[in-house]
Amino acid sequence: MSESVPTTMPTKTEAPAQIIYVDEAAGDDTKGTGSETAPLKTAVRALELVEGLTALSLYTAQPTSADGSAPAAKFAPISGAAFKKAAKRHAEQQKKLMKQAAQKDAEAARAAEKAKAEERRLEDAKRIVLKQDPALPAAQKIKLHQAVASRDRRVRVSGWVHRLRTQGKDMWFLVLRDGTGFLQCVLTGELCHTYDALTLTTESTVTVYGTIKQLPEGKSAPDNHEMVVDYWELLHRAPGGDDAFASQLNEESDPSVLLNNRHLVLRGETASAVIKLRAAVVRAFRDHFDSRAYTEVTPPCMVQTQVEGGSTLFSLDYYGAPAYLTQSSQLYLEAALPALGDVYCLAESYRAEKSHTRRHLSEYTHLEIESAFITFDDLLDIIENMIVDVVDRVQKDPRSRALLAQLNPDFQAPQRPFLRMDYKDAITWLQEHDIKKEDGSNFEFGDDIPEAPERRMTDTIGRPILLCRFPAEIKSFYMKRCADDRRVTESVDVLMPGVGEIVGGSMRISDMEELLAGLRREGIDPAPYYWFTDQRKYGTSEHGGFGLGVERFLAWMADRRTVRDCCLFPRFMGRCSP
């Protein structure tokens, strides 16, 4: 189309012109056709729709007169000045479009040339074959947790490419991960020019050979050192492009996407640090109880009895007979007590609660203990000592201390003594602080205190609470009643600021008749529990114990918002995969 701007309208001697109607008030450049009933909005758009200026007659809508009367005709031929202005604007747009098209063609040509150059570069790179220098000493195979102790001697390490960046064409930095640590590796010269180097992607597996050197002051890398690589080999190349690891997930991904790809999430520094800290916490629990002569046992997870009420049982068909996944190993620990003395277990428990809160799981790791010949005050001391000692063990170990600092740099170890508060005093506290039930009424003695008000009280007080002596009606059948107030039990929940309840425990009923009465009160047939009740028949004793949710304990220590982040592959209502 010509870019010249006509100064006059087409004359009557020219070829018949196409008539296009324009209405700046009611027209539409997108949906309008240019007809009288569907006018365009602008004259510029009209010029865009025709092939030549000489074949166009523009009619524009007439304005209403000053007195409000309608014009004689709705449309009239466009004025010369208006046509000239529209034509000039159209010409400018056409010039701009032509320039953009030329730029696009040039960019496409450059991209094609770049692709060819890259193809040639990759073909040339295939001819480069790396070889180890036979004059170098043999490389000792190590794991990255041994890296600091292996400085200044030639080693080899295998792992996954965690991060990768280039510095010019002759220097590459990659951070290697092997699950025990991270190592920054420097590749220079020909090491950067092979086909494997040019196509290397994150999460590929490699083996690197070289010498680990401490970094000079002012530079930083994991463990304050880096490997100067003299040889490396690709074990497996992870995909790039749309399938690249970085394209699968990001911090803004929907929680369901993260859960579906939990196997990939675990490769991240935060998720893996939580699982490593979990291992350290579990080890600290074992060390704590082993140091106090407790025996660890492994109770069955398939059972035919209940502990915490039938509504939270997962049922299964066990060779034609009804069975359940265990809610708690407590009864088995009690049965082991006369044979083994104080016992504990770290095992999975299962609760079929239809709850989507951030502190509930359908499968969780349950630390449970039972101890003989103790009083209720002894039990409270056992719990408090355990929490303080486990935290101390985690903080004393350099590796777990670093993980804790990474995940929760503001963590403060709990100070003794913990606040010991009776349930009735908690009810009074809620009343005095005007914290009410969902229906707007006050909490009264006998009410179960839900999670939200319980956490509000704990967070307000700001220290660990041993909440004691709950009414018998809201606690389990096996809990011993207080001698001085038969309405309440020798029971305890441990409440921690920021997470709420992490421990539930009690003294157990030691009298056979009282225990049988408790079973009958709950509508439970005592017959299948003979192996449990026999403990009261053959040498009963005062004893007590508790259960602790490892994920809740870890969520408290690591400052995780949800317990789902504190297990390898979380299981909760609606989630049983991957």
Side-chain angles (χ1 to χ4, degrees):
M1 183 179 289
S2 173
E3 294 184 21
S4 61
V5 179
T7 56
T8 61
M9 290 285 292
T11 65
K12 292 182 180 180
T13 59
E14 295 171 343
Q18 177 181 352
I19 298 176
I20 295 181
Y21 295 89
V22 175
D23 187 339
E24 292 186 355
D28 190 320
D29 281 347
T30 302
K31 298 179 180 179
T33 61
S35 67
E36 190 170 1
T37 55
L40 299 175
K41 185 174 183 64
T42 64
V44 173
R45 177 59 180 158
L47 295 175
E48 290 176 358
L49 294 177
V50 298
E51 193 66 29
L53 294 177
T54 57
L56 174 67
S57 290
L58 285 177
Y59 282 74
T60 59
Q62 298 298 294
T64 303
S65 62
D67 61 4
S69 59
K74 183 176 181 181
F75 291 95
I78 191 171
S79 69
F83 182 82
K84 182 176 180 180
K85 182 177 179 181
K88 181 178 180 181
R89 176 63 178 153
H90 172 65
E92 290 171 348
Q93 288 184 350
Q94 292 300 106
K95 185 177 181 180
K96 184 178 180 180
L97 290 173
M98 291 174 64
K99 183 177 180 180
Q100 290 174 345
Q103 290 175 340
K104 188 175 181 180
D105 291 342
E107 289 172 1
R110 286 193 295 271
E113 182 56 35
K114 184 177 179 181
K116 288 181 181 179
E118 181 64 17
E119 188 176 342
R120 290 193 297 269
R121 188 166 78 114
L122 291 176
E123 286 300 317
D124 292 342
K126 290 178 181 179
R127 293 192 285 271
I128 301 174
V129 179
L130 299 179
K131 295 182 180 179
Q132 292 199 61
D133 186 346
L136 293 173
Q140 178 188 359
K141 181 181 178 180
I142 67 167
K143 291 285 189 179
L144 289 182
H145 70 88
Q146 302 167 299
V148 172
S150 303
R151 288 176 179 170
D152 300 319
R153 65 174 184 263
R154 191 166 184 259
V155 297
R156 63 186 172 99
V157 184
S158 299
W160 292 263
V161 177
H162 190 65
R163 284 194 294 272
L164 180 65
R165 67 180 176 90
T166 62
Q167 187 170 309
K169 65 178 182 178
D170 289 322
M171 182 175 288
W172 285 31
F173 292 90
L174 67 85
V175 174
L176 194 67
R177 181 189 78 241
D178 76 345
T180 72
F182 297 88
L183 176 65
Q184 179 169 286
C185 305
V186 185
L187 284 66
T188 57
E190 196 174 56
L191 298 176
C192 307
H193 300 157
T194 66
Y195 179 80
D196 286 342
L198 298 181
T199 57
L200 190 62
T201 54
T202 56
E203 294 306 318
S204 296
T205 46
V206 299
T207 298
V208 291
Y209 298 69
T211 306
I212 299 173
K213 296 287 187 181
Q214 185 169 354
L215 288 174
E217 198 159 333
K219 294 188 176 181
S220 64
D223 289 327
N224 197 39
H225 60 209
E226 65 184 11
M227 174 187 274
V228 179
V229 178
D230 59 60
Y231 176 76
W232 73 282
E233 54 192 5
L234 176 70
L235 305 180
H236 179 267
R237 182 182 294 105
D242 292 341
D243 287 334
F245 182 81
S247 302
Q248 306 307 306
L249 303 166
N250 58 61
E251 292 181 356
E252 286 73 40
S253 293
D254 185 85
S256 63
V257 174
L258 297 177
L259 287 165
N260 289 338
N261 291 279
R262 179 68 176 168
H263 60 296
L264 300 180
V265 171
L266 288 170
R267 300 189 183 200
E269 293 176 30
T270 299
S272 61
V274 172
I275 300 304
K276 289 178 182 179
L277 182 61
R278 175 192 171 103
V281 167
V282 168
R283 184 168 58 250
F285 277 123
R286 283 197 164 99
D287 290 345
H288 170 82
F289 286 109
D290 289 348
S291 71
R292 286 156 173 78
Y294 281 68
T295 300
E296 182 175 8
V297 296
T298 307
C301 68
M302 291 185 291
V303 300
Q304 292 184 308
T305 52
Q306 60 176 285
V307 181
E308 301 295 342
S311 64
T312 64
L313 285 169
F314 283 109
S315 61
L316 57 100
D317 185 305
Y318 190 72
Y319 302 108
Y324 313 98
L325 294 177
T326 185
Q327 305 162 310
S328 166
S329 298
Q330 176 197 321
L331 304 191
Y332 294 95
L333 293 181
E334 288 193 58
L337 200 59
L340 303 173
D342 296 343
V343 288
Y344 78 98
C345 72
L346 271 160
E348 299 305 288
S349 285
Y350 305 85
R351 301 286 173 91
E353 291 175 279
K354 294 183 177 179
S355 175
H356 259 303
T357 76
R358 57 194 176 102
R359 69 174 199 163
H360 282 93
L361 292 166
S362 298
E363 177 187 47
Y364 66 99
T365 301
H366 208 176
L367 168 71
E368 297 183 88
I369 78 116
E370 290 295 323
S371 192
F373 306 108
I374 62 171
T375 66
F376 184 50
D377 284 336
D378 292 335
L379 178 64
L380 300 184
D381 289 338
I382 289 170
I383 296 172
E384 183 174 314
N385 291 338
M386 175 199 68
I387 293 173
V388 172
D389 184 54
V390 166
V391 169
D392 186 56
R393 289 174 185 271
V394 170
Q395 290 187 309
K396 282 182 176 178
D397 181 273
R399 289 177 296 175
S400 55
R401 182 173 65 246
L403 291 167
L404 183 58
Q406 173 189 339
L407 296 167
N408 187 7
D410 298 324
F411 178 77
Q412 297 291 325
Q415 299 299 308
R416 296 180 181 177
F418 293 2
L419 176 63
R420 300 188 179 190
M421 174 187 283
D422 282 351
Y423 162 88
K424 62 182 177 61
D425 296 325
I427 293 294
T428 300
W429 191 97
L430 293 173
Q431 293 171 347
E432 291 175 346
H433 289 78
D434 200 31
I435 297 174
K436 300 182 182 298
K437 294 190 288 188
E438 286 188 352
D439 63 5
S441 61
N442 287 326
F443 282 97
E444 302 292 344
F445 187 91
D447 290 332
D448 192 10
I449 304 175
E451 176 190 358
E454 182 181 77
R455 286 194 58 181
R456 184 173 171 188
M457 178 183 71
T458 308
D459 292 348
T460 301
I461 293 173
R463 56 186 288 204
I465 301 173
L466 295 167
L467 189 58
C468 305
R469 298 178 180 85
F470 291 84
E473 288 72 16
I474 61 174
K475 284 297 181 181
S476 298
F477 68 88
Y478 53 76
M479 292 188 178
K480 186 178 182 67
R481 292 178 184 256
C482 293
D484 58 347
D485 186 350
R486 301 291 292 174
R487 298 178 305 159
V488 297
T489 54
E490 291 187 333
S491 52
V492 58
D493 285 352
V494 179
L495 311 178
M496 301 300 280
V499 69
E501 180 193 344
I502 62 170
V503 174
S506 75
M507 295 298 291
R508 317 310 192 188
I509 295 174
S510 58
D511 179 77
M512 173 72 87
E513 290 305 318
E514 186 178 349
L515 180 61
L516 293 175
L519 286 166
R520 288 192 292 269
R521 185 181 70 245
E522 297 297 324
I524 300 173
D525 180 7
Y529 291 82
Y530 70 93
W531 54 272
F532 170 63
T533 58
D534 267 2
Q535 178 180 278
R536 280 75 176 173
K537 181 177 179 181
Y538 297 100
T540 190
S541 67
E542 294 300 320
H543 65 286
F546 62 84
L548 174 145
V550 170
E551 289 81 7
R552 289 190 186 181
F553 188 90
L554 184 60
W556 164 64
M557 284 198 72
D559 192 27
R560 298 299 97 186
R561 183 183 178 278
T562 171
V563 293
R564 298 174 188 177
D565 293 338
C566 297
C567 42
L568 198 65
F569 288 91
R571 297 290 183 257
F572 52 91
M573 190 174 73
R575 169 68 58 175
C576 197
S577 65

